[in-house]
Amino acid sequence: MKVALLSFAHVHAATYIQLLRDRSDIELIVTDPDADPGDPTRGKSLADELGVSYRADYDEALAERPRAVIVASENARHRTLVEQAAAAGAHILCEKPLATTEDDARAMIDACEQGGVSLMTAYPVRFHPAFAALRHTIADGTLGPLLSIHGVNNSRPPGLVRPWFADPVLAGGGAIMDHTLHIADLLDVLLEGEQPTHVHAVANSLLTSSTDGPEVESAGLLTLNYPRGLVATIDCSWSHPATHPTWGGLTLTCVGERALAEFDAFPPLLTGYDTAQAATRWEPAAIDLDAAMLESFLSAARTGQRAHPDGDTGLRTLRIALAAYASLHTGQPAAITGT
């Protein structure tokens, strides 16, 4: 099956390439025409380093009629590439957030429906086997009725390696847009699609303060209210320093009337201190979530089945982030559209 990867802008692009390039069942082509020619981390330079077949631009890649396309561009450019890929008849995996506006997200969903292709939003954490166990624990009533869920998704500032993440136009925001959505997707699964009615957000830009350009928030805390009375919180901060032993981490604490359950997406297998490098040592004990997500996407592309999480999921979770920004603007809880 021919697969095309469009753009290397996202930090996960190289990971996708490495996971796909050596598979005997995949013919991988890539393109990154928006890259700075002098940037060794993008464009043909990266393609040559990773040993994959490069095309000059998006039109050339899509002219080869790939069965599946992965969009890993800057967030604001997702719509254009998804619409092009859908018109070419390709099933699509789009990096999160699905878009930076609700209008763009709706247009992308419509384009894929009209093209008869599947649109999948890149939420790999839902494929974690421990998350499946958490979902079962909640569904079978072990915890009793849920009272609250507390989610944390922290990392180093991605703008340190990809400056566009701190560009409010290309990224659509800062830490809230970047890190709210993974937790929002897990809440969407655990609560079986029930949507919050309001969100209250607080944030600051202390870790990204700069006189060189516009600021985006580097730390955020969201409080979500659900119709059943449940309250969820999301810490979506870029709060890990460069010396932290991991890029980031994601945890959930689910509190029920009878018990609580905790989920850690990236638990340490081994921790300690390395005196030779004067650093904390950390060995992960998680499965490769990107690989699990890609396998699900490729299976759906082969069979023509609808991929999940789909574009509608991407839109529902995007609405939470957009409402959070509305809350920041007013200082008051903001209603979430579409609920």
Side-chain angles (χ1 to χ4, degrees), residues 15 170 177 306:
T15 299
L170 289 177
M177 185 63 81
R306 189 178 184 92

Side-chain angles (χ1 to χ4, degrees), residues 21 51 56 58 65 85 89 99 109 131 216-217 224 227 284 300:
R21 67 182 176 186
Y58 302 126
R65 309 297 291 185
I109 293 169
F131 179 70
V216 294
E217 73 286 351
L224 283 62

Side-chain angles (χ1 to χ4, degrees), residues 138 146-151 183 187 190-191 230-234 252-255:
I138 291 173
L146 278 177
L147 303 176
S148 64
I149 302 177
H150 309 284
I183 299 290
L187 294 175
L190 293 178
L191 302 178
L230 180 144
V231 175
T233 61
I234 302 176
L252 282 179
T253 301
C254 300
V255 181

Side-chain angles (χ1 to χ4, degrees), residues 190-331:
L190 293 178
L191 302 178
E192 299 180 334
E194 180 184 348
Q195 296 301 290
T197 58
H198 292 80
V199 59
H200 183 251
V202 293
N204 66 55
S205 58
L206 296 177
L207 300 178
T208 53
S209 296
S210 171
T211 58
D212 299 332
E215 290 184 345
V216 294
E217 73 286 351
S218 54
L221 181 64
L222 280 56
T223 303
L224 283 62
N225 296 98
Y226 286 81
R228 70 170 78 179
L230 180 144
V231 175
T233 61
I234 302 176
D235 176 348
C236 51
S237 306
W238 291 337
S239 54
H240 284 190
T243 54
H244 197 277
T246 66
W247 169 266
L250 186 151
T251 62
L252 282 179
T253 301
C254 300
V255 181
E257 285 188 357
R258 292 198 295 269
L260 64 82
E262 296 179 324
F263 164 67
D264 187 343
F266 307 101
L269 176 66
L270 173 69
T271 60
Y273 190 81
D274 187 336
T275 57
Q277 299 187 19
T280 301
R281 182 179 175 183
W282 185 92
E283 297 292 341
I287 67 165
D288 191 326
L289 299 178
D290 288 325
M293 177 184 68
L294 280 177
E295 190 58 46
S296 179
F297 168 62
L298 295 174
S299 177
R302 284 193 184 94
T303 61
Q305 295 177 336
R306 189 178 184 92
H308 292 281
D310 59 12
D312 291 332
T313 304
L315 174 57
R316 289 197 301 271
T317 49
L318 174 63
R319 284 171 175 155
I320 293 174
L322 295 177
Y325 286 115
S327 174
L328 287 182
H329 181 70
T330 64

Side-chain angles (χ1 to χ4, degrees):
M1 183 169 66
K2 182 172 289 187
V3 178
L5 187 142
L6 308 184
S7 180
F8 303 164
H10 201 280
V11 293
H12 289 160
T15 299
Y16 297 147
I17 292 173
Q18 291 167 332
L19 288 169
L20 294 172
R21 67 182 176 186
D22 298 326
R23 289 182 55 148
S24 60
D25 60 336
I26 297 296
E27 178 187 351
L28 179 65
I29 59 173
V30 302
T31 185
D32 188 27
D34 299 320
D36 183 337
D39 185 350
T41 67
R42 292 189 57 182
K44 193 172 186 304
S45 297
L46 179 61
D48 290 344
E49 178 185 337
L50 296 177
V52 290
S53 185
Y54 189 79
R55 301 295 183 268
D57 55 38
Y58 302 126
D59 288 339
E60 184 178 339
L62 293 173
E64 297 190 30
R65 309 297 291 185
R67 176 80 174 172
V69 160
I70 301 171
V71 173
S73 67
E74 298 88 345
N75 300 340
R77 293 173 173 160
H78 286 176
R79 175 178 175 175
T80 298
L81 294 182
V82 166
E83 289 178 333
Q84 285 183 256
H91 299 283
I92 302 158
L93 170 64
C94 183
E95 258 301 339
K96 62 84 192 167
L98 187 62
T100 57
T101 70
E102 181 162 343
D103 285 346
D104 281 356
R106 286 184 176 277
M108 293 160 66
I109 293 169
D110 290 344
C112 291
E113 289 180 350
Q114 292 167 11
V117 298
S118 186
L119 174 60
M120 182 177 182
T121 308
Y123 287 139
V125 183
R126 65 157 59 193
F127 294 95
H128 201 303
F131 179 70
L134 174 64
R135 184 181 184 185
H136 177 73
T137 297
I138 291 173
D140 70 10
T142 299
L143 305 185
L146 278 177
L147 303 176
S148 64
I149 302 177
H150 309 284
V152 177
N153 188 12
N154 295 161
S155 77
R156 302 174 195 172
L160 296 176
V161 292
R162 290 286 191 269
W164 69 264
F165 273 94
D167 183 320
V169 175
L170 289 177
I176 288 176
M177 185 63 81
D178 186 36
H179 277 332
T180 292
L181 303 180
H182 282 301
I183 299 290
D185 176 58
L186 301 183
L187 294 175
D188 195 71
V189 175
L190 293 178
L191 302 178
E192 299 180 334
E194 180 184 348
Q195 296 301 290
T197 58
H198 292 80
V199 59
H200 183 251
V202 293
N204 66 55
S205 58
L206 296 177
L207 300 178
T208 53
S209 296
S210 171
T211 58
D212 299 332
E215 290 184 345
V216 294
E217 73 286 351
S218 54
L221 181 64
L222 280 56
T223 303
L224 283 62
N225 296 98
Y226 286 81
R228 70 170 78 179
L230 180 144
V231 175
T233 61
I234 302 176
D235 176 348
C236 51
S237 306
W238 291 337
S239 54
H240 284 190
T243 54
H244 197 277
T246 66
W247 169 266
L250 186 151
T251 62
L252 282 179
T253 301
C254 300
V255 181
E257 285 188 357
R258 292 198 295 269
L260 64 82
E262 296 179 324
F263 164 67
D264 187 343
F266 307 101
L269 176 66
L270 173 69
T271 60
Y273 190 81
D274 187 336
T275 57
Q277 299 187 19
T280 301
R281 182 179 175 183
W282 185 92
E283 297 292 341
I287 67 165
D288 191 326
L289 299 178
D290 288 325
M293 177 184 68
L294 280 177
E295 190 58 46
S296 179
F297 168 62
L298 295 174
S299 177
R302 284 193 184 94
T303 61
Q305 295 177 336
R306 189 178 184 92
H308 292 281
D310 59 12
D312 291 332
T313 304
L315 174 57
R316 289 197 301 271
T317 49
L318 174 63
R319 284 171 175 155
I320 293 174
L322 295 177
Y325 286 115
S327 174
L328 287 182
H329 181 70
T330 64
Q332 299 296 319
I336 297 175
T337 62
T339 59

